[in-house]
Amino acid sequence: MDPSALAALPEPARRWLARALPPGTPAWSVAELSMHGEIRLGGRWRAFTARQLIAPGNGFVWAARTRVLGLPVTGFDRYGPAGAEMRWRLLGAVPVISAAGPDIARSAAGRLAGEGLLVPPACVRAGWSAGPDPDTAVMSWILGGTREDALVRVDPEGRLRELSMQRWGDPDGTGFGRHPFGVALSEEAIFTGVRVPTVLRAGWAWGTGRQAQGEFFRARIEGVRFR
């Protein structure tokens, strides 16, 4: 990565990416990740393992395995130019979740806009603008013809700490719309020279009095392979 490529970015974005990407880092645009953690389903936290292929600005596939009532549930969420879908099955045969359509695609686009942070080399080509506070910047992607903005918070040393956005979804069952969503990021590891945040907590109602109730995802990234 040529340091001059960061020159035009807002200072917090430049601070993060200069720390994450040593000079000479290839302009990788895709990452394959492995992770484990907990996801809240039916009001209970359930352990999961997952692999994800993510190409910021283009799409992702997240394939995971968990258990409900002791029985295996496997499936995937995906998003790309053709749209989005969620397909999950119990025992590999009984449908548990099957969803697609415009609202699912818009929600998945917001997810991709945020998860792009896990592929720092690709974030250099995102749209960037100044945030409302000195340690924030806004990362923007055009996905499905709509601009998705994510507010990124960076600490003084250049570590990512938080992402927040108004993401399309229906978290409370009252209808789809834009709702506060966010991710807390902590710890980091170096994969092929690139610093990546490795501990994530995500949820709806971010920054409100209902943030604790809205949290539904906790994960630790174990491996990243860029290409």
Side-chain angles (χ1 to χ4, degrees):
M1 184 66 62
D2 183 349
S4 67
L6 309 182
L9 303 186
E11 194 279 331
R14 190 166 63 249
R15 190 192 321 160
W16 162 48
L17 290 168
R19 174 184 171 83
L21 304 173
T25 300
W28 287 310
S29 60
V30 178
E32 300 175 39
L33 301 92
S34 58
M35 67 186 75
H36 71 275
E38 296 178 300
I39 188 167
R40 192 159 64 180
L41 298 170
R44 293 183 56 189
W45 288 98
R46 305 178 190 276
F48 76 86
T49 58
R51 299 188 68 84
Q52 183 170 16
L53 179 68
I54 179 169
N58 292 296
F60 69 83
V61 178
W62 187 76
R65 180 184 183 92
T66 187
R67 286 184 173 270
V68 175
L69 299 176
L71 300 175
V73 174
T74 58
F76 64 88
D77 299 343
R78 72 166 183 86
Y79 171 78
E85 64 176 332
M86 304 165 66
R87 294 285 183 266
W88 296 88
R89 293 180 179 273
L90 180 70
L91 296 170
V94 181
V96 176
I97 298 175
S98 180
D103 287 319
I104 300 300
R106 290 186 71 179
S107 184
R111 173 177 171 176
L112 177 61
E115 291 183 349
L117 291 176
L118 300 176
V119 194
C123 292
V124 176
R125 59 183 174 81
W128 287 96
S129 56
D133 301 312
D135 288 326
T136 65
V138 178
M139 181 174 65
S140 303
W141 298 92
I142 303 298
L143 299 163
T146 299
R147 194 177 83 175
E148 299 287 345
D149 293 333
L151 181 69
V152 176
R153 186 174 299 277
V154 182
D155 76 9
E157 286 73 42
R159 299 179 184 89
L160 287 174
R161 290 307 185 195
E162 185 183 50
L163 175 143
S164 58
M165 64 193 310
Q166 292 292 316
R167 179 182 167 192
W168 191 261
D170 183 16
D172 52 12
T174 59
F176 278 89
R178 295 279 181 181
H179 298 269
F181 179 84
V183 183
L185 304 120
S186 60
E187 301 188 28
E188 61 183 12
I190 298 175
F191 302 96
T192 323
V194 178
R195 291 181 184 270
V196 177
T198 53
V199 176
L200 298 81
R201 295 187 298 107
W204 297 97
W206 203 260
T208 75
R210 298 179 58 249
Q211 179 172 320
Q213 297 95 309
E215 184 177 331
F216 67 88
F217 184 83
R218 301 167 180 166
R220 178 179 289 274
I221 295 172
E222 303 167 314
V224 182
R225 185 170 67 175
F226 296 101
R227 55 184 175 86

